[in-house]
Amino acid sequence: MPAPFMPSRPVRIVGVGSCLGSPIFGPAAGPRALRDLGFENSLRQRGIRAHWQALLEPSAPKPPRPSMNERLGTVSNLLHDLADIVAQTCADDAIPLVLGGDHIVGAGTWRGIARALAPRGKLGLIWIDAHLDAHTPQTTHTGNIHGMPLAALLGIGDETLTGLPGPHLDPAHVTIIGARSWEPEELKLLQKLGVKIFFMPEVKTRGLAAVLCDAMSIVRNGTAGFGVSVDLDAMDCAKLPATTCLVPDGIDPQELVDALHGLRNCADLAGLEIVEYVPERDRDGSGARWVLEIASAALGPTTAQLRHREETFGARNYAPLPVVFTRGEGAWLWDVEGRRYLDMMSAYSAVSFGHSHPRLVKALTEQAGRLTLTSRAYSNDRLPLMLERLSALLGYDRALPVNTGVEAVETAIKAARKWGHKIKGVPEGQAEIIVCANNFHGRTTTVIGFSSEAQYRDGFGPFGAGFRTIPYGDADALEAAITPHTAAFLFEPIQGEGGINIPPAGWLARCAAICHKHNVLLIADEVQTGLGRTGKLLACEHDGVRPDGVILGKALGGGLLPVSAFLANDALMQVFKPGDHGSTFGGNPLAAAVAAEALALLADEKLAERSARLGAAFLARLQAIKNPLIVEVRGRGLLIGMELDTRRVNARTAAEWLLARGLMTKDTHDSVLRFAPPLIIDETTLMRAADVVEAALADLAQRLPGTTP
C-alpha cells in the first residue's frame, strides 16, 4: 500500500515564548497555548508533515524592569539558541515554522536561516508588520527591544543582537508589507538602506495579492531562498484581536491567507515565522484559528501533490478538471495556490445560494450544536416546520424527505409503481414508466437501466424491466407509448446533463394533457432545475404545468448538505405506509434546518426573479458572440448551454481553457459548456464572465488549424 500523503519537505515547529523585548507578557504564552491546542496535529490533518521540534521559554522579566544591557544579554542568549535550531532544521532539508512571542525572535530566526543558506547564496525576507522594527538601543523611544529585530538583521544596532553567527541580510532583498505605525528614525534608516516598504494605503489600494507578488519578485531575485515573517499586529484588529498592539485599519486576515497560498509552489521558501499571538485576548478561539490558517496556507500541499494522492487512493470514477479548491465565498472559489475563480457551475445547481451563505451557515452551525440526527424512528422539532414550508411553497399536500437527488428519483419510481398497482389497477409487477432519451436521473442501477448513455450502462447489468424510452420533446411519441400498464411519465423539464436541452414550446403542456387523458402520472425531475434556477420556482411553470409529483434536490441543501424530497398530493402519496420506504438520514434535523432556511432565503432575496432577469441578459450576451467554434447558445434563467463544434474543439478543452482564465465551468456530452452560476451573482460580474468567455474562445479559435474567428 502506498505511504500516506506527505508534502515534499517536512515542517518543524519551534515555539519561542518570549516577551523579553517588551513589557507586555501576553505573547509569551502564545506558543505554548498553540501547542496545547494541538497545533501540530491540526497541521497534519491538512496534509502537512509537521513535528514540534522545540519550545523555548525564558523567564519573563519581573518589575522593576531589568536594565537594557541585562535584557539584551538575555535576549541574545535566546536568539543564539533559536538560530542554531533553525539552521539545523534547514540543513536537514526541513522548513522551520517559528511561532514566536514578540517579534524580537525574528533576529534569531532569520540569522539562523541565512547561515544555513549562505553556502548557496543570500536570504530574501518579506516582513509583514504594522511597524518597521528598525530601532537601535540609541533610537528607541520606549526602551523596548521588540522594536529592534529588523535593524539587527540588517547589521544595525547593539552587538548582542547583530553579532549572531551568520550573514546579515541584504537590504536590497528585504521588503516590508503593511506598515502603518512607525517613528521617524526607523523610516529614515530603512529608506537610507534601500529596504522596499509597501505601506498600508498601497496595500489597500492595489490589493495584498498584487503587493505580495511585487515583494516576492524582490526577495527571490538573485537569492538562494526567501522567508516570510508575519506579525499579527499587521492584521485588522477588528477581525483578529488576539494580538499585542491593536492598531486599526490593518490587513484582512482572510486576504492574507488567500495570498499566502501562492507560497506552496515555491521550492525556495526557506521558512515561515508567525509572532504576537496573545491567547488571553483570544476569547472565541479565532486568533488561534487564524494562526493555523496562515501556516497552512503557506506550507500546505500543492495542487499536483493533492491530485496525485486522490488518483492514488481514490476510485477513478471521476476525471476532475485540473484544479483543487480550498475555499468558497459567494460566487467565488479559491484553489490551494490562492488563485480565484468565478463559479459558473454551482455544483450542478447545489450551490444556487452561493458558497457559505452566512444565513445558511448560521442555520447549520446553530442546529449542529443542538441536534443533528435521531433517525426517523422518532420525530424531531425541525422536520415538521420544513415540510410545512416546502409543501406550502410548491402547493403540494405532502413531501417525503431523503438525501440525494437520485434517492428522491428512486422514491418517485416506487411511488409511481405502487400507485399503478394499488390505485390504477395495473397487474402486480407489470407497471411501466415512460422516460425520455438522453435523460439523466442519477446513477443507481435502477436509473442507469433506462439511461441512453452507453457508458452509464456498460458492465452494470442486469437491469430491471418496466421502462419505455421515447424521444425528448415528442408528445406524439408519448401518447403512442402509453399502454394500460403505464403508471407514469418521468421527465426533466430541461435536460441539464443531457446538454441543456430545451423542449419545444407547448410540449410539456401537451404531455400533461395526454397523461391526464390516459390516467398516467406526470412526474417532473427538478433536481437541477428547481428552486429558481430557470427563472421560475419550478421549470414546469414555464409551460403552466403542475405535475402530479415533483423531485427536488441540489439547491434544497443550500450547498451545505445533501437534501432532497419527493412532493405529491395525497392522491399519490397515500400509497406509502409505515415501513414501505425510509432513510436513516432523510429528514434529519440538521438537514431540515438548512433546507428551511434555504427556502426562506429563496423567497426573501427573490432569487427566482433574479435568475429570470440576469439569465435573459446573460443569454443574450452569449448569443451575440461571433465565433466559428460556437454552434448554438440556449437556456432558461441561469441554466445555459453553449454547444461547440466538436469537429474543431471538444467542450472539455474549452472548459480547461476557461479554467486557466479563472472561470469555472464544465463540459457535458463532450459538446456543450454549461453556465449555471449561483443565483446570488451580480450583473456586473456576470457580464465580465461573458467577456472572458468571448476572449477565451476567440483565442482558442485562433490557435486551432483552419479556424478563424
Side-chain angles (χ1 to χ4, degrees):
M1 179 179 177
F5 167 76
M6 297 294 178
S8 58
R9 285 186 292 169
V11 172
R12 294 183 183 172
I13 308 169
V14 181
V16 189
S18 167
C19 66
L20 295 173
S22 165
I24 302 172
F25 298 160
R32 176 176 288 275
L34 291 170
R35 189 193 68 173
D36 293 346
L37 287 170
F39 194 81
E40 173 187 340
N41 186 57
S42 295
L43 289 178
R44 286 179 169 271
Q45 290 176 349
R46 297 182 181 216
I48 301 169
R49 186 170 43 165
H51 171 68
W52 197 284
Q53 179 80 0
L55 179 60
L56 308 178
E57 292 185 308
S59 300
K62 302 293 190 299
R65 188 166 58 164
S67 67
M68 173 71 75
N69 287 339
E70 183 179 347
R71 285 185 288 124
L72 285 170
T74 304
V75 166
S76 180
N77 291 334
L78 173 67
L79 298 183
H80 272 85
D81 292 341
L82 174 58
D84 288 344
I85 292 172
V86 296
Q88 185 59 53
T89 297
C90 292
D92 294 339
D93 197 29
I95 300 178
L97 169 58
V98 176
L99 303 176
D102 58 22
H103 214 166
I104 191 62
V105 303
T109 299
W110 304 110
R111 285 295 291 280
I113 294 177
R115 184 201 316 169
L117 291 185
R120 295 189 285 117
K122 297 179 180 179
L123 169 69
L125 180 61
I126 297 175
W127 192 269
I128 301 175
D129 198 344
H131 312 101
L132 298 180
D133 286 340
H135 273 300
T136 68
Q138 289 72 41
T139 66
T140 176
H141 292 201
T142 62
N144 293 329
I145 301 172
H146 74 278
M148 304 178 186
L150 188 54
L153 287 170
L154 299 172
I156 310 296
D158 193 276
E159 173 66 19
T160 54
L161 300 181
T162 63
L164 298 173
H168 296 126
L169 273 58
D170 183 345
H173 299 296
V174 175
T175 66
I176 301 172
I177 296 177
R180 62 190 192 279
S181 177
W182 61 85
E183 290 164 338
E185 296 90 342
E186 298 178 284
L187 182 59
K188 182 178 180 180
L189 172 63
L190 294 175
Q191 290 177 332
K192 178 180 178 181
L193 293 172
V195 172
K196 174 63 177 176
I197 305 173
F198 297 94
F199 297 99
M200 197 61 212
E202 180 178 359
V203 174
K204 287 187 174 293
T205 300
R206 296 181 55 207
L208 180 61
V211 168
L212 183 62
C213 184
D214 286 354
M216 290 180 67
S217 297
I218 294 170
V219 303
R220 300 178 77 187
N221 183 23
T223 60
F226 75 101
V228 178
S229 181
V230 179
D231 189 326
L232 298 182
D233 287 350
M235 302 300 105
D236 182 348
C237 61
K239 296 183 178 179
L240 202 164
T243 187
T244 306
C245 301
L246 303 180
V247 183
D249 300 322
I251 295 171
D252 184 328
Q254 185 61 68
E255 188 179 5
L256 175 64
V257 168
D258 289 339
L260 290 180
H261 273 86
L263 302 183
R264 294 186 179 201
N265 272 319
C266 298
D268 54 342
L269 177 63
L272 176 66
E273 179 179 65
I274 307 171
V275 302
E276 302 279 6
Y277 167 63
V278 180
E280 67 188 34
R281 289 181 174 171
D282 195 13
R283 296 182 179 179
D284 62 356
S286 62
R289 290 194 295 273
W290 280 122
V291 175
L292 176 63
E293 291 294 335
I294 291 168
S296 300
L299 303 175
T302 65
T303 293
Q305 291 165 341
L306 288 166
R307 282 175 62 84
H308 173 72
R309 304 321 292 174
E310 184 174 353
E311 292 169 2
T312 300
F313 295 105
R316 297 183 179 180
N317 59 318
Y318 276 94
L321 290 164
V323 65
V324 177
F325 292 117
T326 186
R327 187 173 80 85
E329 181 180 332
W332 299 94
L333 286 161
W334 284 259
D335 72 9
V336 293
E337 270 84 30
R339 292 180 287 262
R340 191 177 76 156
Y341 301 79
L342 180 61
D343 185 356
M344 297 295 287
M345 264 291 292
S346 300
Y348 302 97
S349 296
V351 189
S352 286
F353 303 101
H355 295 275
S356 301
H357 194 291
R359 280 179 56 175
L360 297 177
V361 171
K362 183 173 184 288
L364 176 78
T365 53
E366 287 182 354
Q367 186 61 38
R370 294 177 63 241
L371 181 66
T372 59
L373 181 66
T374 61
S375 88
R376 291 297 302 281
Y378 313 94
S379 296
N380 66 75
D381 64 344
R382 299 313 304 264
L383 179 59
L385 305 179
M386 188 276 282
L387 293 175
E388 181 181 22
R389 181 185 289 271
L390 182 59
S391 297
L393 180 67
L394 297 180
Y396 287 92
D397 294 337
R398 300 183 185 277
L400 196 161
V402 282
N403 304 291
T404 64
V406 72
E407 191 179 351
V409 171
E410 291 273 5
T411 302
I413 290 172
K414 289 176 70 173
R417 283 175 167 171
K418 191 166 186 180
W419 177 88
H421 295 138
K422 304 298 184 182
I423 307 299
K424 185 174 181 177
V426 177
E428 187 67 29
Q430 297 184 39
E432 295 176 345
I433 295 175
I434 298 174
V435 297
C436 293
N438 208 36
N439 69 74
F440 184 82
H441 297 287
R443 288 193 174 95
T444 60
T445 52
T446 298
V447 171
I448 63 172
F450 58 81
S451 172
S452 53
E453 184 70 25
Q455 182 185 358
Y456 297 164
R457 298 167 57 89
D458 185 26
F460 297 115
F463 302 113
F467 297 96
R468 290 190 172 201
T469 302
I470 63 170
Y472 185 67
D474 189 338
D476 291 336
L478 170 63
E479 188 153 31
I482 291 175
T483 74
H485 293 171
T486 303
F489 174 44
L490 172 64
F491 69 98
E492 299 161 89
I494 296 175
Q495 289 187 330
E497 192 65 19
I500 319 298
N501 297 322
I502 312 293
W507 169 75
L508 185 51
R510 188 170 172 216
C511 288
I514 291 169
C515 288
H516 180 73
K517 172 184 173 183
H518 293 282
N519 194 25
V520 170
L521 297 172
L522 185 70
I523 298 180
D525 180 344
E526 295 246 19
V527 170
Q528 289 194 36
T529 56
L531 302 183
R533 170 55 56 187
T534 69
K536 298 282 189 181
L537 196 58
L538 296 176
C540 291
E541 294 176 12
H542 289 284
D543 267 15
V545 169
R546 184 177 183 277
D548 298 296
V550 171
I551 303 164
L552 292 180
K554 304 293 187 188
L556 190 57
L560 302 181
L561 293 170
V563 184
S564 64
F566 174 60
L567 290 89
N569 286 339
D570 283 328
L572 172 55
M573 204 69 85
Q574 64 176 314
V575 301
F576 287 118
K577 307 298 183 203
D580 277 0
H581 191 60
S583 169
T584 299
F585 281 86
N588 69 78
L590 185 62
V594 171
E597 188 64 20
L599 296 172
L601 191 60
L602 179 69
D604 293 346
E605 299 194 2
K606 301 184 184 306
L607 293 181
E609 297 87 342
R610 182 184 183 85
S611 175
R613 177 174 56 84
L614 295 183
F618 190 53
L619 179 63
R621 175 68 179 85
L622 293 179
Q623 288 175 332
I625 297 175
K626 304 300 181 183
N627 189 298
L629 300 180
I630 301 174
V631 174
E632 183 186 18
V633 181
R634 55 185 178 261
R636 278 183 180 155
L638 287 173
L639 180 61
I640 296 172
M642 176 180 283
E643 185 172 348
L644 302 179
D645 185 348
T646 55
R647 297 170 301 175
R648 294 170 168 172
V649 65
N650 61 59
R652 169 79 182 208
T653 298
E656 292 183 356
W657 208 252
L658 290 169
L659 187 69
R661 288 157 175 76
L663 196 151
M664 190 190 98
T665 183
K666 181 70 171 64
D667 60 293
T668 181
H669 282 267
D670 206 39
S671 61
V672 177
L673 287 173
R674 55 194 302 156
F675 299 103
L679 305 185
I680 50 86
I681 194 170
D682 64 87
E683 186 169 3
T684 299
T685 301
L686 197 58
M687 292 302 111
R688 287 176 180 168
D691 293 341
V692 172
V693 173
E694 183 173 26
L697 293 183
D699 186 26
L700 186 57
Q702 287 181 340
R703 294 169 184 265
L704 295 173
T707 302
T708 55

